[in-house]
Amino acid sequence: MCRLILATGRFDAGDILDAAVDMSCGRTADHDGPTNVHPNGWGAVWRQHDAPHGLAVHRDVRPLGESAEDSPIRGVETDFLAVHARHATLPRNQGLRCTHPLERGGAYPWYFMHNGFLPTVHQLLGMAESEFDSGEYFDYIVPKDTRALDEASTLRLLAAIPQGGSSGNAIAVSPDHAYVIHWTTPGTAAQRYFRMHTVTTERFRVVASEVVPSLAPPEQWQPLEPGLLLRVPLTPATDPVLS
């Protein structure tokens, strides 16, 4: 299981990095899940005008709390940043290959961050067994050659996932848009662990796996509605208000 955070607008990237560290280390944990510490690597994607396709990426297989200062993020000036801290559900799925954001390259790249365990998605891809559930979920929910996600279509795909998993919470990023998928399998235990929250100020909007008081007082945060796709335009400029 993992922790996610996305920021858009006018913010300090170091503040968002610190918030991700707090979540990854369990400092802000206030939920019913079994996982407080997320030590199995981390990654980030942010908007950077001089990067290929306007997006820069960082990945590290070390715990976020131990390696945050070895990343370039604290000094980044950007209007969009997403960070993922990982706790691998299956010990075999560790290392750089499984470190988010997962990436689909090509002329129109996508980056993908997932929080949850969806070991049945492989069935919808015609696979005999699951090899890496987050990678399979990426291929399923963002089909190849996709340039945009539609809320109705995405929710139909989510509803078709066979029972046996937990959450499809995710951040998907393309050169033109970022999307927050907020969805948990009906009947899943630890509903509070998978409930994402958001806060909007005059300068920025943040969506995160947990309430992070260092970014805004707890009473200003709101839980996201279940079964939701939020869209963040990345061109020509990011707006703090998600649609």
Side-chain angles (χ1 to χ4, degrees):
M1 305 305 173
C2 311
R3 300 286 83 179
L4 301 166
I5 187 167
L6 176 152
T8 179
R10 298 180 300 277
F11 56 86
D12 186 313
D15 292 343
I16 304 304
L17 181 64
D18 289 339
V21 171
D22 286 345
M23 289 193 297
S24 74
C25 296
R27 297 171 188 155
T28 53
D30 181 18
H31 53 70
D32 53 353
T35 303
N36 286 343
V37 179
H38 304 77
N40 301 127
W42 69 283
V45 56
W46 62 94
R47 207 156 84 103
Q48 183 171 306
H49 296 291
D50 60 353
H53 303 285
L55 295 169
V57 181
H58 177 80
R59 299 181 185 88
D60 198 311
V61 298
R62 297 172 295 173
L64 174 54
E66 297 177 7
S67 58
E69 300 309 317
D70 293 334
S71 79
I73 294 173
R74 193 169 299 281
V76 163
E77 292 187 8
T78 185
D79 56 7
F80 170 79
L81 170 64
V83 183
H84 177 280
R86 187 162 187 256
H87 181 286
T89 305
L90 300 179
R92 73 169 187 259
N93 290 332
Q94 296 189 39
L96 192 60
R97 180 184 70 87
C98 297
T99 301
H100 302 219
L102 307 181
E103 181 175 353
R104 181 186 299 149
Y108 195 81
W110 281 88
Y111 301 92
F112 192 74
M113 303 171 168
H114 173 217
N115 172 29
F117 183 50
L118 295 176
T120 63
V121 172
H122 73 281
Q123 301 172 25
L124 301 170
L125 300 176
M127 299 172 60
E129 60 183 13
S130 176
E131 297 175 1
F132 176 35
D133 68 290
S134 292
E136 292 144 13
Y137 178 43
F138 182 14
D139 288 341
Y140 174 69
I141 209 69
V142 187
K144 292 182 179 179
D145 299 323
T146 295
R147 295 183 70 93
L149 297 185
D150 171 75
E151 183 172 23
S153 299
T154 299
L155 293 178
R156 282 196 296 270
L157 289 173
L158 291 166
I161 296 175
Q163 291 290 316
S166 57
S167 170
N169 287 350
I171 297 171
V173 184
S174 76
D176 297 317
H177 296 89
Y179 300 87
V180 177
I181 299 170
H182 188 236
W183 180 85
T184 300
T185 304
T188 295
Q191 290 284 326
R192 284 175 55 204
Y193 179 81
F194 293 114
R195 185 182 303 138
M196 300 183 74
H197 295 76
T198 185
V199 63
T200 302
T201 74
E202 293 180 353
R203 298 184 299 110
F204 60 79
R205 184 172 183 181
V206 169
V207 178
S209 295
E210 297 174 5
V211 170
V212 184
S214 63
L215 297 177
E219 61 270 17
Q220 294 184 15
W221 291 77
Q222 298 294 325
L224 289 185
E225 297 179 9
L228 190 66
L229 178 74
L230 297 176
R231 181 176 61 90
V232 186
L234 297 185
T235 55
T238 304
D239 190 294
V241 179
L242 286 69
S243 59

